[in-house]
PDB file of all heavy atoms in Angstrom:
ATOM      1  N   GLY A  48      10.436  17.426 -16.856  1.00 98.00           N
ATOM      2  CA  GLY A  48      10.943  17.222 -18.192  1.00 98.00           C
ATOM      3  C   GLY A  48      10.846  15.799 -18.633  1.00 98.00           C
ATOM      4  O   GLY A  48      10.277  14.954 -17.933  1.00 98.00           O
ATOM      5  N   THR A  49      11.457  15.491 -19.751  1.00 98.00           N
ATOM      6  CA  THR A  49      11.401  14.209 -20.383  1.00 98.00           C
ATOM      7  C   THR A  49      11.844  13.083 -19.472  1.00 98.00           C
ATOM      8  O   THR A  49      11.151  12.070 -19.359  1.00 98.00           O
ATOM      9  CB  THR A  49      12.215  14.199 -21.684  1.00 98.00           C
ATOM     10  OG1 THR A  49      11.766  15.227 -22.542  1.00 98.00           O
ATOM     11  CG2 THR A  49      12.111  12.880 -22.425  1.00 98.00           C
ATOM     12  N   GLU A  50      13.025  13.197 -18.891  1.00 98.00           N
ATOM     13  CA  GLU A  50      13.534  12.096 -18.001  1.00 98.00           C
ATOM     14  C   GLU A  50      12.615  11.862 -16.802  1.00 98.00           C
ATOM     15  O   GLU A  50      12.305  10.756 -16.432  1.00 98.00           O
ATOM     16  CB  GLU A  50      14.939  12.392 -17.565  1.00 98.00           C
ATOM     17  CG  GLU A  50      15.947  12.297 -18.689  1.00 98.00           C
ATOM     18  CD  GLU A  50      15.928  10.966 -19.379  1.00 98.00           C
ATOM     19  OE1 GLU A  50      15.918   9.936 -18.683  1.00 98.00           O
ATOM     20  OE2 GLU A  50      15.936  10.940 -20.628  1.00 98.00           O
ATOM     21  N   GLY A  51      12.159  12.956 -16.226  1.00 98.00           N
ATOM     22  CA  GLY A  51      11.252  12.863 -15.047  1.00 98.00           C
ATOM     23  C   GLY A  51       9.930  12.216 -15.442  1.00 98.00           C
ATOM     24  O   GLY A  51       9.379  11.387 -14.685  1.00 98.00           O
ATOM     25  N   ARG A  52       9.433  12.532 -16.608  1.00 98.00           N
ATOM     26  CA  ARG A  52       8.189  11.945 -17.048  1.00 98.00           C
ATOM     27  C   ARG A  52       8.315  10.451 -17.311  1.00 98.00           C
ATOM     28  O   ARG A  52       7.405   9.631 -17.106  1.00 98.00           O
ATOM     29  CB  ARG A  52       7.666  12.632 -18.349  1.00 98.00           C
ATOM     30  CG  ARG A  52       7.077  14.044 -18.023  1.00 98.00           C
ATOM     31  CD  ARG A  52       6.249  14.599 -19.194  1.00 98.00           C
ATOM     32  NE  ARG A  52       6.981  14.621 -20.423  1.00 98.00           N
ATOM     33  CZ  ARG A  52       7.739  15.593 -20.897  1.00 98.00           C
ATOM     34  NH1 ARG A  52       7.922  16.684 -20.131  1.00 98.00           N
ATOM     35  NH2 ARG A  52       8.341  15.538 -22.055  1.00 98.00           N
ATOM     36  N   ARG A  53       9.527   9.998 -17.710  1.00 98.00           N
ATOM     37  CA  ARG A  53       9.809   8.563 -17.898  1.00 98.00           C
ATOM     38  C   ARG A  53       9.708   7.875 -16.552  1.00 98.00           C
ATOM     39  O   ARG A  53       9.092   6.742 -16.446  1.00 98.00           O
ATOM     40  CB  ARG A  53      11.160   8.339 -18.511  1.00 98.00           C
ATOM     41  CG  ARG A  53      11.178   8.601 -20.008  1.00 98.00           C
ATOM     42  CD  ARG A  53      12.501   8.141 -20.642  1.00 98.00           C
ATOM     43  NE  ARG A  53      12.553   8.623 -22.009  1.00 98.00           N
ATOM     44  CZ  ARG A  53      13.479   9.364 -22.537  1.00 98.00           C
ATOM     45  NH1 ARG A  53      14.492   9.766 -21.766  1.00 98.00           N
ATOM     46  NH2 ARG A  53      13.421   9.759 -23.774  1.00 98.00           N
ATOM     47  N   VAL A  54      10.297   8.447 -15.543  1.00 98.00           N
ATOM     48  CA  VAL A  54      10.227   7.871 -14.189  1.00 98.00           C
ATOM     49  C   VAL A  54       8.771   7.823 -13.724  1.00 98.00           C
ATOM     50  O   VAL A  54       8.314   6.797 -13.185  1.00 98.00           O
ATOM     51  CB  VAL A  54      11.106   8.671 -13.211  1.00 98.00           C
ATOM     52  CG1 VAL A  54      10.885   8.193 -11.802  1.00 98.00           C
ATOM     53  CG2 VAL A  54      12.567   8.607 -13.567  1.00 98.00           C
ATOM     54  N   LEU A  55       8.048   8.847 -13.944  1.00 98.00           N
ATOM     55  CA  LEU A  55       6.658   8.913 -13.532  1.00 98.00           C
ATOM     56  C   LEU A  55       5.776   7.900 -14.262  1.00 98.00           C
ATOM     57  O   LEU A  55       4.884   7.260 -13.681  1.00 98.00           O
ATOM     58  CB  LEU A  55       6.080  10.310 -13.746  1.00 98.00           C
ATOM     59  CG  LEU A  55       6.706  11.376 -12.813  1.00 98.00           C
ATOM     60  CD1 LEU A  55       6.328  12.781 -13.305  1.00 98.00           C
ATOM     61  CD2 LEU A  55       6.315  11.173 -11.366  1.00 98.00           C
ATOM     62  N   ALA A  56       6.094   7.691 -15.541  1.00 98.00           N
ATOM     63  CA  ALA A  56       5.354   6.653 -16.321  1.00 98.00           C
ATOM     64  C   ALA A  56       5.558   5.281 -15.680  1.00 98.00           C
ATOM     65  O   ALA A  56       4.642   4.467 -15.637  1.00 98.00           O
ATOM     66  CB  ALA A  56       5.795   6.662 -17.776  1.00 98.00           C
ATOM     67  N   GLU A  57       6.761   4.979 -15.249  1.00 98.00           N
ATOM     68  CA  GLU A  57       7.053   3.705 -14.594  1.00 98.00           C
ATOM     69  C   GLU A  57       6.311   3.618 -13.237  1.00 98.00           C
ATOM     70  O   GLU A  57       5.767   2.600 -12.901  1.00 98.00           O
ATOM     71  CB  GLU A  57       8.575   3.555 -14.353  1.00 98.00           C
ATOM     72  CG  GLU A  57       9.361   3.233 -15.613  1.00 98.00           C
ATOM     73  CD  GLU A  57       8.861   1.997 -16.316  1.00 98.00           C
ATOM     74  OE1 GLU A  57       8.760   0.920 -15.635  1.00 98.00           O
ATOM     75  OE2 GLU A  57       8.660   2.041 -17.541  1.00 98.00           O
ATOM     76  N   ALA A  58       6.274   4.728 -12.539  1.00 98.00           N
ATOM     77  CA  ALA A  58       5.634   4.751 -11.234  1.00 98.00           C
ATOM     78  C   ALA A  58       4.104   4.459 -11.343  1.00 98.00           C
ATOM     79  O   ALA A  58       3.576   3.742 -10.552  1.00 98.00           O
ATOM     80  CB  ALA A  58       5.819   6.075 -10.557  1.00 98.00           C
ATOM     81  N   THR A  59       3.510   4.958 -12.384  1.00 97.00           N
ATOM     82  CA  THR A  59       2.051   4.763 -12.537  1.00 97.00           C
ATOM     83  C   THR A  59       1.659   3.336 -12.934  1.00 97.00           C
ATOM     84  O   THR A  59       0.545   2.988 -12.940  1.00 97.00           O
ATOM     85  CB  THR A  59       1.434   5.793 -13.546  1.00 97.00           C
ATOM     86  OG1 THR A  59       2.096   5.651 -14.806  1.00 97.00           O
ATOM     87  CG2 THR A  59       1.561   7.213 -13.059  1.00 97.00           C
ATOM     88  N   LYS A  60       2.699   2.552 -13.327  1.00 97.00           N
ATOM     89  CA  LYS A  60       2.431   1.185 -13.583  1.00 97.00           C
ATOM     90  C   LYS A  60       2.231   0.354 -12.319  1.00 97.00           C
ATOM     91  O   LYS A  60       1.743  -0.792 -12.385  1.00 97.00           O
ATOM     92  CB  LYS A  60       3.554   0.559 -14.425  1.00 97.00           C
ATOM     93  CG  LYS A  60       3.678   1.110 -15.812  1.00 97.00           C
ATOM     94  CD  LYS A  60       4.891   0.525 -16.521  1.00 97.00           C
ATOM     95  CE  LYS A  60       5.031   1.119 -17.909  1.00 97.00           C
ATOM     96  NZ  LYS A  60       6.279   0.613 -18.584  1.00 97.00           N
ATOM     97  N   LEU A  61       2.654   0.919 -11.162  1.00 95.00           N
ATOM     98  CA  LEU A  61       2.503   0.218  -9.939  1.00 95.00           C
ATOM     99  C   LEU A  61       1.103   0.331  -9.405  1.00 95.00           C
ATOM    100  O   LEU A  61       0.434   1.354  -9.525  1.00 95.00           O
ATOM    101  CB  LEU A  61       3.510   0.846  -8.901  1.00 95.00           C
ATOM    102  CG  LEU A  61       4.964   0.852  -9.321  1.00 95.00           C
ATOM    103  CD1 LEU A  61       5.788   1.653  -8.311  1.00 95.00           C
ATOM    104  CD2 LEU A  61       5.430  -0.595  -9.330  1.00 95.00           C
ATOM    105  N   GLU A  62       0.624  -0.772  -8.811  1.00 94.00           N
ATOM    106  CA  GLU A  62      -0.738  -0.776  -8.316  1.00 94.00           C
ATOM    107  C   GLU A  62      -0.936   0.232  -7.181  1.00 94.00           C
ATOM    108  O   GLU A  62      -0.082   0.421  -6.332  1.00 94.00           O
ATOM    109  CB  GLU A  62      -1.030  -2.177  -7.759  1.00 94.00           C
ATOM    110  CG  GLU A  62      -2.477  -2.340  -7.323  1.00 94.00           C
ATOM    111  CD  GLU A  62      -2.812  -3.750  -6.841  1.00 94.00           C
ATOM    112  OE1 GLU A  62      -2.066  -4.657  -7.172  1.00 94.00           O
ATOM    113  OE2 GLU A  62      -3.815  -3.903  -6.191  1.00 94.00           O
ATOM    114  N   GLY A  63      -2.035   0.940  -7.251  1.00 96.00           N
ATOM    115  CA  GLY A  63      -2.374   1.890  -6.192  1.00 96.00           C
ATOM    116  C   GLY A  63      -1.672   3.228  -6.317  1.00 96.00           C
ATOM    117  O   GLY A  63      -1.749   4.028  -5.392  1.00 96.00           O
ATOM    118  N   VAL A  64      -1.084   3.506  -7.481  1.00 98.00           N
ATOM    119  CA  VAL A  64      -0.379   4.793  -7.694  1.00 98.00           C
ATOM    120  C   VAL A  64      -1.127   5.554  -8.783  1.00 98.00           C
ATOM    121  O   VAL A  64      -1.361   5.057  -9.887  1.00 98.00           O
ATOM    122  CB  VAL A  64       1.093   4.579  -8.099  1.00 98.00           C
ATOM    123  CG1 VAL A  64       1.728   5.923  -8.406  1.00 98.00           C
ATOM    124  CG2 VAL A  64       1.837   3.861  -7.000  1.00 98.00           C
ATOM    125  N   SER A  65      -1.499   6.804  -8.469  1.00 98.00           N
ATOM    126  CA  SER A  65      -2.111   7.702  -9.421  1.00 98.00           C
ATOM    127  C   SER A  65      -1.210   8.898  -9.642  1.00 98.00           C
ATOM    128  O   SER A  65      -0.401   9.214  -8.790  1.00 98.00           O
ATOM    129  CB  SER A  65      -3.493   8.174  -8.884  1.00 98.00           C
ATOM    130  OG  SER A  65      -4.356   7.098  -8.682  1.00 98.00           O
TER     131      SER A  65
END
Side-chain angles (χ1 to χ4, degrees):
T49 304
E50 290 303 314
R52 286 194 308 271
R53 283 189 188 122
V54 172
L55 295 167
E57 288 300 312
T59 58
K60 292 177 183 176
L61 302 171
E62 186 176 342
V64 177
S65 298

